[in-house]
DNA sequence: CGAAGATACGGACCGCCGGTCCGTTTTGCA
DNA sequence: TGCAAAACGGACCGGCGGTCCGTATCTTCG
């Protein structure tokens, strides 16, 4: 009974806002240059609408990130190998890390905005715990499995990825290659 | 000839500001809650003095961080084993990571403030490149040595350390233990 | 179908914070 | 002791995240 379906304009605006925010973030200028007012203007809505719908800036970024990550998440939960269940652990971990890396590469600015947002880091995002738990279980009972899972995830953090590509000039292929070799050496 | 020694009050104020900022950051309330005005007030100087001396907020944090890190840095460059030169590579890497972890634990709030500061991350800090280069060379010519060095450093990032201690409740000893085991498995 | 209640809208408004400016004070040198 | 250079400090500014409330839109029910 505590559920009331939202009005139609509300959900429509939600989509519009996502699209606008996505475009602004993607538009290679720095991540945190984009203000809430910018997003509101680009979406053609009032600032109040943004805050009512998402609570605060962090909420908006988190919602957008979750929406973009969703396909990958469901591919992992109920998809075909090598991402989905039923893949041998070692192989699946490699696939997960590679997929995560590609996601960060493709959504660099968004991921950066999320991971830099003051007081959150990746830790505290809903799905972080899921990813960690999954990898940790795939690692089996090796020593320090828990920490190893964290370390593997830390190896694909958005700001590291950005640094390696934008500052160090690594190509996508090189990065994937190195990550893969590193993962192999850990497993 | 482009060198002019600074006035005495300037250097004195610099120290006072360091002490005040350190105290405020350490005082467990969140890292980014501390404003420049707070620091100025605590140090008993005007806000202008802060900005003249350090340029901007990031500059102040970087300077403070560098000052606190300096002992560790020189212990690494010209110290006794296991941190200093002349230690076998594997062993030295473990020692370096452990030392870094302990440093992050002891200077948690400061390190957090630095690594979260918008648009910098750890990458872009002067000493990051040094640490990376050192570890990379200690790794020898194994595959993906470069990326591996980055990944090892990512495993001791301040926000991960904070998450593991404050949220997951790991003790200092447990953390060091796990990091050590992880490092062993990589080497 | 029409009206009333509920829900969402939007932009003026607020408080705070990083950063600047410039009149005043301190320092160092001769 | 006098004077220029350097540093000081706090009033001030612009912009941003977030709030508020009068208005517009939807939905439901008679």
């Amino acid at each position: 009974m505590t559920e009331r379906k939202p009005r139609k304009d509300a959900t429509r605006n939600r989509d519009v806002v996502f699209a606008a925010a996505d475009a602004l973030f993607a538009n290679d200028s720095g991540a945190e240059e984009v203000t809430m007012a910018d997003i509101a203007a680009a979406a053609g809505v009032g600032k109040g609408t943004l805050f009512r719908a998402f609570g605060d800036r962090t909420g908006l970024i988190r919602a957008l990130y979750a929406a973009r990550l969703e396909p990958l998440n469901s591919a992992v939960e109920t998809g075909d190998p090598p991402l989905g269940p039923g893949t041998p652990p070692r192989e699946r971990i490699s696939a997960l890390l590679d997929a995560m890396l590609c996601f960060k590469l493709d959504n660099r600015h968004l991921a950066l905005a999320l991971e830099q947002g003051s007081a959150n880091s990746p830790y505290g995002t809903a799905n972080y715990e899921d990813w960690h738990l999954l990898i940790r279980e795939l690692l089996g009972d090796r020593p320090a499995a828990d920490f190893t899972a964290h370390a593997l995830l830390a190896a694909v953090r958005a700001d590291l990825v950005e640094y390696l590509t934008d500052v160090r000039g690594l190509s996508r292929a090189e990065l994937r290659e190195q990550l893969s070799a590193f993962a192999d050496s850990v497993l």
Side-chain angles (χ1 to χ4, degrees), chain A:
Chain A
M1 290 299 102
T2 57
E3 283 300 306
R4 284 188 89 71
K5 68 179 176 186
R7 252 168 53 174
K8 204 193 299 187
D9 50 351
T11 62
R12 182 175 41 76
N13 273 339
R14 199 182 151 89
D15 295 344
V16 175
V17 167
F18 272 168
D22 226 356
L24 287 181
F25 281 134
N27 205 22
D28 72 350
S29 55
E32 303 294 280
E33 307 304 306
V34 182
T35 75
M36 291 290 120
D38 289 340
I39 297 175
V45 303
K47 243 179 27 159
T49 304
L50 255 58
F51 286 95
R52 199 168 336 95
F54 302 102
D56 59 10
R57 183 190 169 84
T58 301
L60 166 54
I61 294 175
R62 281 226 263 257
L64 179 53
Y65 186 84
R68 294 293 173 264
L69 189 59
E70 200 281 331
L72 178 52
N73 256 330
S74 65
V76 169
E77 280 167 25
T78 63
D80 298 327
L83 277 182
T87 315
R90 272 188 52 141
E91 198 181 327
R92 194 167 177 212
I93 293 181
S94 292
L96 290 172
L97 289 176
D98 187 59
M100 205 65 199
L101 172 63
C102 289
F103 178 79
K104 299 284 178 91
L105 282 167
D106 294 336
N107 300 274
R108 196 154 13 129
H109 299 93
L110 173 57
L112 260 182
L114 175 71
E115 295 190 11
Q116 284 183 1
S118 43
N120 34 8
S121 304
Y123 319 108
T125 323
N127 37 34
Y128 182 84
E129 312 237 327
D130 298 339
W131 282 79
H132 173 259
L133 189 61
L134 175 58
I135 291 182
R136 181 229 165 92
E137 280 175 1
L138 289 173
L139 281 171
D141 57 358
R142 62 157 57 201
D146 199 80
F147 184 83
T148 300
H150 286 297
L152 288 175
L153 285 172
V156 293
R157 283 184 58 169
D159 50 2
L160 176 56
V161 169
E162 194 215 21
Y163 170 71
L164 291 177
T165 56
D166 290 9
V167 181
R168 304 281 279 235
L170 288 187
S171 72
R172 182 187 187 95
E174 287 166 336
L175 236 184
R176 293 179 67 187
E177 176 65 32
Q178 294 230 357
L179 172 63
S180 167
F182 169 69
D184 283 351
S185 86
V186 173
L187 303 175

